[in-house]
Amino acid sequence: RHVDYSPALVSKTKQDQKLLLDLNVYRNTHYQTLNQVKVTFQKQIAPLLVQLPKLNQISLSYELYPQSNRLCDIANICSIVDKFFSDSLVNLGYIPDDNYQHVLGVQYLFGSVDSKNPRVEVTINPL
């Protein structure tokens, strides 16, 4: 199953301030803010998963489409998106847990630059 949209920027406040899903930002952000952002992320992603059956074992592939040609570390972004996405799969009941018994592999790929729609696309591969 391919999920066409996974936000790289997630709202963190009622004033719609955005938080970049990036390891550098993640490690410097207060845990309460991160919890808020994770809840918002899950709400945004949930409607895209409604057709997904319950799965026992999966692998995940994340494809990064950055906004510009500015060099970036794919793992810095995809690792946080993976953390939020995997937790959402568990919280929404699609997989029992996100440990290695249920998520057998994770892959990070560079897609291409997309200035109009920067994103991370996720492919869920049932095993």
Side-chain angles (χ1 to χ4, degrees):
R1 166 107 169 123
H2 183 77
V3 178
D4 291 326
Y5 174 71
S6 176
L9 289 170
V10 179
S11 294
K12 72 174 188 173
T13 67
K14 291 179 183 172
Q15 293 81 22
D16 203 32
Q17 291 176 319
K18 304 287 186 185
L19 181 75
L20 178 65
L21 296 184
D22 177 292
L23 186 59
N24 296 321
V25 173
Y26 183 88
R27 73 168 183 239
N28 294 319
T29 302
H30 193 275
Y31 74 93
Q32 289 177 329
T33 301
L34 290 174
N35 287 340
Q36 260 183 297
V37 171
K38 190 186 278 192
V39 167
T40 301
F41 179 94
Q42 185 172 306
K43 285 179 184 175
Q44 290 176 343
I45 212 77
L48 302 173
L49 301 174
V50 293
Q51 299 296 323
L52 186 67
K54 293 191 184 312
L55 300 163
N56 189 46
Q57 293 183 322
I58 61 171
S59 69
L60 297 167
S61 179
Y62 296 89
E63 194 163 352
L64 176 63
Y65 293 85
Q67 186 171 16
S68 71
N69 284 318
R70 182 174 176 231
L71 296 179
C72 63
D73 184 335
I74 294 172
N76 274 0
I77 297 168
C78 290
S79 64
I80 302 306
V81 173
D82 176 44
K83 173 71 177 143
F84 284 20
F85 189 78
S86 296
D87 287 350
S88 294
L89 288 176
V90 173
N91 292 338
L92 295 168
Y94 292 108
I95 58 175
D97 202 337
D98 57 353
N99 62 34
Y100 63 82
Q101 290 182 330
H102 302 285
V103 180
L104 279 63
V106 177
Q107 180 180 30
Y108 303 148
L109 304 166
F110 175 77
S112 62
V113 173
D114 189 339
S115 60
K116 292 184 172 59
N117 185 24
R119 65 197 179 279
V120 176
E121 291 184 0
V122 183
T123 302
I124 303 167
N125 301 301
L127 301 174

